[in-house]
Amino acid sequence: MEDKHQITVTSPLLPDLDEFHALLKEIWESKWITNNGSFHQRLEQALAEYLKVPYVSLFTNGTLPLITALQALRITGEVITTPYSFVATTHSLWWNGIKPVFVDIDPSTGNIDPERIEAAITPKTTAIMPVHVYGKPCDTIRIQEIADKYGLKVIYDAAHAFGVEVNGESILNAGDMSTLSFHATKVYNTIEGGAMVMHDAKTKKHIDYLKNFGFTGETEVVAPGINSKVDEMRSAYGLLNLRQVDDAIEARRKVAVAYRDALRSVEGITFFDDMPGVRHNYSYFPVFVDKEKYGMTRDELYFKMRESNVLGRRYFYPLISEFSTYRGLPSANPENIPNARRMASSVICLPMHHALTNSDVERIIDTIHK
Ligand SMILES: *Cc1c(COP(=O)(O)O)cnc(C)c1O
């Protein structure tokens, strides 16, 4: 019988177990298992170098750096953001008592449309929180122009944008701060984990206090901080994964090339091409289904793929603005966000990870060709 093993949308990048075991042995011998240990410090340093950014602060996931960035910058009132993202983006606002204001996306990228931001600014607006969706860089120059004009902060949810560069510069250097997620499903993972990227030593120090309850010394607490300290095991795991992440991204790139070659001729299926000057990380491969031209709805194709044991994901559907927490907000009105609605109703993210084989990719393409 033909092998029809399940093809999942992602698969975690795992370090070599023997190498990991050797590092665990070191940790056991040192008896230092958390609280800014040596592996934690080494990983922050290694990530700053790899990502080409001045400062990195590790966090236990990708949601807490968003919450902490808003605290650190004392953001209040309203924040302009996108409905086309993972719920953690706006949850971070909600946890800070901030009202999210949804602005529609640019259909050519999936990112917040900078030309619609100004119309959403009110006297209560204090910041913009854009997302580099699928790792595609936002128009950071235009967003900064608007932020400067109105005196707004910019916090990028860069959870998808690990290693993404524009003309050789890290996209993570844009705005006041950027946050990353190192969740198991992401391009680079520390099982659970995340980070904040900042531009100066003073901010780095402040953030390091905030993620450790606000402690600046044995007896001094300077702010109501949170606990988001990363342990030594995850830090060691992260150091090992960093060594193989370039190979993983290259493997993903090959899958993207194969998908594009095979699907370019399929009527009613569209996808993004690489952007000039951008080092992409191929974190996701979204395709968009036009039901008239393709002859099948997005959901019909999605479930047909599942019958063949190919698991895509409808990222991002439903829109954040459709969840009960947010749907009553004026900016969640469907008429305010038509492009986001169209994208959410047509998208399927195809399986995309470093371990997909050629025959997996063929099987996935076949389910769409048929
Ligand atoms: C994954 C993700 C997060 C949250 O990261 P966690 O590490 O799961 O907390 C935030 N924003 C976006 C856009 C994400 O995809």
Side-chain angles (χ1 to χ4, degrees):
M1 217 185 96
E2 209 184 337
D3 172 28
K4 289 279 184 187
H5 69 272
Q6 190 171 68
I7 302 176
T8 50
V9 73
T10 186
S11 177
L13 184 64
L14 289 166
D16 179 84
L17 194 52
D18 291 332
E19 284 185 83
F20 187 43
H21 187 252
L23 297 188
L24 287 178
K25 210 155 167 253
E26 263 184 61
I27 295 167
W28 257 244
E29 278 158 14
S30 76
K31 298 190 172 57
W32 189 300
I33 58 175
T34 187
N35 283 33
N36 199 28
S38 73
F39 283 103
H40 182 286
Q41 291 176 27
R42 278 161 62 188
L43 182 57
E44 284 191 344
Q45 191 60 42
L47 281 168
E49 276 165 34
Y50 177 87
L51 297 169
K52 303 186 191 170
V53 299
Y55 298 96
V56 169
S57 183
L58 293 178
F59 277 76
T60 49
N61 57 58
T63 304
L64 280 163
L66 287 169
I67 291 174
T68 306
L70 293 162
Q71 283 279 322
L73 296 171
R74 303 202 180 288
I75 304 300
T76 57
E78 297 178 359
V79 169
I80 291 172
T81 189
T82 170
Y84 195 76
S85 180
F86 182 62
V87 285
T89 310
T90 40
H91 281 0
S92 73
L93 299 171
W94 208 263
W95 273 68
N96 278 284
I98 296 163
K99 183 169 152 187
V101 175
F102 297 112
V103 161
D104 205 7
I105 58 170
D106 174 350
S108 70
T109 63
N111 290 329
I112 192 167
D113 182 349
E115 298 319 318
R116 292 170 195 264
I117 290 175
E118 281 193 83
I121 294 174
T122 76
K124 289 185 181 155
T125 310
T126 54
I128 309 170
M129 184 179 275
V131 182
H132 305 292
V133 178
Y134 308 129
K136 290 176 75 67
C138 288
D139 185 346
T140 55
I141 293 169
R142 185 74 189 106
I143 290 170
Q144 196 60 52
E145 266 173 24
I146 297 163
D148 289 344
K149 182 170 164 194
Y150 292 89
L152 307 177
K153 302 286 187 193
V154 184
I155 300 165
Y156 281 99
D157 180 344
H160 300 178
F162 185 90
V164 173
E165 295 173 11
V166 179
N167 299 322
E169 200 199 333
S170 173
I171 194 73
L172 304 170
N173 285 327
D176 292 279
M177 292 167 181
S178 291
T179 65
L180 291 161
S181 167
F182 303 154
H183 184 253
T185 54
K186 307 294 208 269
V187 169
Y188 168 81
N189 84 83
T190 59
I191 308 175
E192 292 275 353
M196 192 191 296
V197 171
M198 60 286 281
H199 309 317
D200 60 88
K202 193 163 162 260
T203 308
K204 155 85 171 143
K205 211 169 185 181
H206 183 49
I207 295 298
D208 285 348
Y209 295 151
L210 283 181
K211 77 175 183 196
N212 184 25
F213 309 100
F215 274 107
T216 57
E218 207 180 313
T219 55
E220 188 67 19
V221 168
V222 292
I226 194 88
N227 179 5
S228 195
K229 304 190 303 298
V230 176
D231 63 70
E232 289 292 275
M233 293 72 164
R234 287 197 178 87
S235 302
Y237 175 108
L239 276 170
L240 294 177
N241 254 357
L242 196 55
R243 287 195 212 146
Q244 51 173 358
V245 72
D246 278 336
D247 289 345
I249 291 172
E250 176 55 17
R252 287 166 172 271
R253 191 189 65 80
K254 287 186 176 138
V255 174
V257 168
Y259 280 151
R260 285 174 184 151
D261 285 349
L263 299 177
R264 205 172 293 280
S265 59
V266 179
E267 215 190 335
I269 298 288
T270 52
F271 47 81
F272 295 126
D273 278 300
D274 284 356
M275 294 161 75
V278 174
R279 185 216 186 215
H280 290 279
N281 65 5
Y282 306 95
S283 45
Y284 300 86
F285 196 89
V287 298
F288 305 98
V289 184
D290 178 325
K291 67 170 186 278
E292 265 78 48
K293 290 188 188 147
Y294 184 64
M296 203 183 269
T297 66
R298 183 275 306 273
D299 285 350
E300 281 167 345
L301 176 57
Y302 171 74
F303 288 109
K304 198 185 81 159
M305 287 166 67
R306 281 177 56 147
E307 277 166 31
S308 307
N309 231 357
V310 173
L311 306 187
R313 284 300 291 269
R314 289 167 290 179
Y315 284 145
F316 289 99
Y317 165 85
L319 293 173
I320 298 177
S321 51
E322 288 168 3
F323 292 117
S324 59
T325 309
Y326 304 107
R327 84 170 65 112
L329 294 169
S331 64
N333 183 339
E335 283 169 26
N336 183 47
I337 45 176
N339 294 331
R341 283 173 65 219
R342 207 167 302 120
M343 196 168 274
S345 66
S346 63
V347 69
I348 302 178
C349 283
L350 300 186
M352 174 52 92
H353 58 81
H354 64 286
L356 286 170
T357 64
N358 290 339
S359 84
D360 290 339
V361 172
E362 272 171 39
R363 244 181 79 198
I364 297 158
I365 290 165
D366 277 351
T367 64
I368 300 170
H369 271 156
K370 269 189 231 159

